[in-house]
Amino acid sequence: MHLFRLSLLTLWVRKTWLVILLLTVGLPFVLPHMTPVETVPKLLPPARAHAAWLLVWGVGILWGLSQAARLGDGNSRTGVGNYLRSRGQGSLRQMLSMWSALMIFLLPVVVVAVGICLAAAMPGDPAERGLWVSTNVQAAVLFLVAIGPLALLGIALSSRFGAMVGYVVPAALCLYGLYGVGHLAETIKMGENPVLEWLYIVSPQYHLADLTPRLIFKMGEVGWSSFAGFLGYFALLGGFLTGLSLLLFRTEPLRS
């Protein structure tokens, strides 16, 4: 039995991916018209880019992480994981099989967002077009390297504690890194607090992977030296989460 193929088929049969893909294609053209873009037509392309990448992150957190949790939970609860272990497939191989299947379904969502930004939100100024393309490519890469280890963590946690925990913990961690860390930084500015400063240092900085503000305000690409630093940071964070996932992953449910 190939767990990768089984996971791929499981996600395919659920058909939720089709709804997600259709929403990702259509909503970036609908949502901007719910704001007064008609009064300032030049705001329409950035609004499409904003909607496209907002949907990518929404799909990654709401759908991607939930499916990761369901895959991990099903693998341990149904006994498939134990059977595969008896056939010589270890924890890492099983986790990567489920993870790879999930990422195959997430990848088209990212490609669609980049395509919409390049086809329907490309700046008119020729000098800005190269920067626009680079920024979208950077946004795609950073999203994948940020959400991937979280999905792996969701698979591992759900295999041990169930689908609910496997979804809530990575989703909360991602949302905290995207938005909560910013509020924490503002709190630290109001007065020195060693505890909060330490908490900020160890907090996951997922906001670095969200380049949506750079697209909305046409701030251009992240400098390539800084981009390499971001990749290094997420590689280290991903390595830590992968190691933690390997420790947590179970091929059989906990007995009550």
Side-chain angles (χ1 to χ4, degrees), residues 14 22 37 45 51 60 70 90 92 113 122 129 147-149 152 155 157 169 173 175-176 186 189 210 214 219 222 232:
R14 287 174 184 168
L22 290 174
V37 292
R70 291 184 66 181
L92 182 60
M122 181 73 81
R129 292 182 179 180
I147 206 71
L152 203 61
I155 291 171
L157 282 170
V169 173
L173 195 63
L175 289 172
Y176 170 67
E186 292 299 321
K189 290 179 182 178
D210 183 12
R214 303 191 73 89
M219 298 164 62
V222 176

Side-chain angles (χ1 to χ4, degrees), residues 10-96:
T10 299
L11 292 170
W12 179 272
V13 169
R14 287 174 184 168
K15 298 297 183 183
T16 53
W17 63 269
L18 183 57
V19 177
I20 293 298
L21 194 59
L22 290 174
L23 290 176
T24 306
V25 172
L27 286 181
F29 296 96
V30 175
L31 293 178
H33 291 283
M34 296 181 180
T35 60
V37 292
E38 289 79 6
T39 58
V40 188
K42 67 179 181 179
L43 294 180
L44 185 57
R48 285 176 181 159
H50 184 199
W53 282 105
L54 188 65
L55 283 167
V56 168
W57 280 98
V59 167
I61 296 171
L62 297 174
W63 183 82
L65 296 182
S66 67
Q67 294 304 309
R70 291 184 66 181
L71 287 173
D73 177 55
N75 186 65
S76 62
R77 180 169 41 80
T78 60
V80 171
N82 256 352
Y83 169 75
L84 293 176
R85 181 178 285 278
S86 70
R87 299 294 298 271
Q89 294 189 27
S91 297
L92 182 60
R93 184 176 175 183
Q94 290 189 35
M95 283 196 302
L96 290 179

Side-chain angles (χ1 to χ4, degrees), residues 14 23 29 74 77 83 86 103 108 111 118 124 130 134 150 163 189 209 228 241 247 250:
R14 287 174 184 168
L23 290 176
F29 296 96
R77 180 169 41 80
Y83 169 75
S86 70
M103 295 306 290
V111 173
L118 298 185
S134 299
L150 287 170
K189 290 179 182 178
L241 292 179
L247 290 174
R250 287 177 61 90

